[in-house]
Amino acid sequence: MFSALKRSRPLVWLLLTLPALWIGLRWAITPGEYGYGHAIADSGDWAAWLLMATLAVTPLRLVFKRSGLTLWLMRRRREIGVASFGYAALHTAIYLVRKGSPEYVLAEFTTPYMLAGWAALALFVPLALTSNDVSVRLMRRGWKRLHRLVYPAAVLTFAHWVWSAFDPTTAWIHIGILAAIEIVRIALQRAQRVM
C-alpha cells in the first residue's frame, strides 16, 4: 500500500479528499446531529492540520535527510499545501452558504476574526494557483519568494482560529505546536549556515 502511495499522485489526492467526503456525508445523512457547527469546525481543523504538515516538512528534511518518509513528504508537500487551501475554501463555502446573504457576510467582515480569516484565504490563493511544476519552472527564484507568504498566512489562520473558537484552548495548543515547528526550522537552518 505504501509503495503504491509513494508512486501514485491520484491515490494521494484520494486520501487527502476523504475527510471532505466524510464531512459532506455526515452532514447529509445526519444533519440534526452533525450540522453547520461540526462541518465548519472540521473543515477548518483539516485546513490547519494540513497547513501544519506542510510547514513541518522543512524541519523534518533538515533532521532526517535520508528518511524515505521525509523524501516522500518533500515530493508531496505541494499537494498537501493545496489540500490545506481546499479545506480552507470548503470552510469558507460552508460559512457563506450558512449566512446566505451578502449583507450578513459584510456585517461580520470587519470583525478581527473574520478579517484574519479572509486575509489568510487571500494569501493562500496565489500559493495554491502556483503550486504546480509549470509555475515553479516559469517563476524560478520568484516562486520561493512568493511561497514564503505561507508564514504570514499561517499566523493569520491561527489568529482566526483563536478569535473565532468558543473555547480557544485547542487553537492555542496548535499554535504552540506551530511555534515549535518554526523554532526548530529556524534553528536548524541557522546551524547549517554556520557549518
Side-chain angles (χ1 to χ4, degrees):
M1 171 69 175
F2 187 67
S3 61
L5 183 62
K6 278 167 61 174
R7 293 188 305 271
S8 173
R9 190 172 276 182
L11 185 55
V12 170
W13 276 114
L14 174 63
L15 290 174
L16 291 170
T17 306
L18 286 177
L21 296 173
W22 181 244
I23 290 167
L25 189 64
R26 286 185 70 188
W27 200 0
I29 293 172
T30 58
E33 183 184 327
Y34 185 90
Y36 167 78
H38 289 289
I40 196 93
D42 289 350
S43 57
D45 287 350
W46 276 101
W49 294 335
L50 290 169
L51 174 60
M52 288 173 68
T54 305
L55 292 171
V57 171
T58 298
L60 286 170
R61 177 179 58 83
L62 293 169
V63 175
F64 305 106
K65 292 180 183 178
R66 300 194 183 278
S67 161
L69 178 61
T70 303
L71 293 172
W72 181 84
L73 284 169
M74 282 296 297
R75 290 189 199 104
R76 295 292 174 242
R77 177 165 50 181
R78 279 186 274 156
E79 284 95 333
I80 298 168
V82 171
S84 173
F85 170 76
Y87 282 96
L90 175 63
H91 181 74
T92 305
I94 292 168
Y95 165 77
L96 292 173
V97 168
R98 172 69 171 189
K99 293 301 174 182
S101 157
E103 290 80 22
Y104 284 116
V105 173
L106 289 171
E108 288 188 336
F109 188 80
T110 55
T111 59
Y113 78 97
M114 290 308 297
L115 278 174
W118 285 113
L121 187 68
L123 289 177
F124 279 126
V125 168
L127 303 184
L129 291 175
T130 58
S131 287
N132 55 70
D133 294 338
V134 173
S135 295
V136 173
R137 279 195 304 272
L138 290 175
M139 296 176 70
R140 297 185 185 176
R141 289 183 184 171
W143 189 89
K144 266 196 171 175
R145 283 196 297 273
L146 174 66
H147 279 255
R148 287 192 187 115
L149 287 176
V150 71
Y151 301 111
V155 170
L156 288 164
T157 297
F158 285 90
H160 170 72
W161 192 0
V162 167
W163 288 334
S164 64
F166 291 114
D167 177 6
T169 305
T170 303
W172 281 113
I173 290 168
H174 282 78
I175 287 172
I177 295 168
L178 180 67
I181 289 169
E182 288 309 299
I183 289 166
V184 168
R185 177 184 67 82
I186 291 165
L188 289 170
Q189 285 176 331
R190 285 187 177 167
Q192 289 198 358
R193 281 194 204 107
V194 170
M195 293 164 66

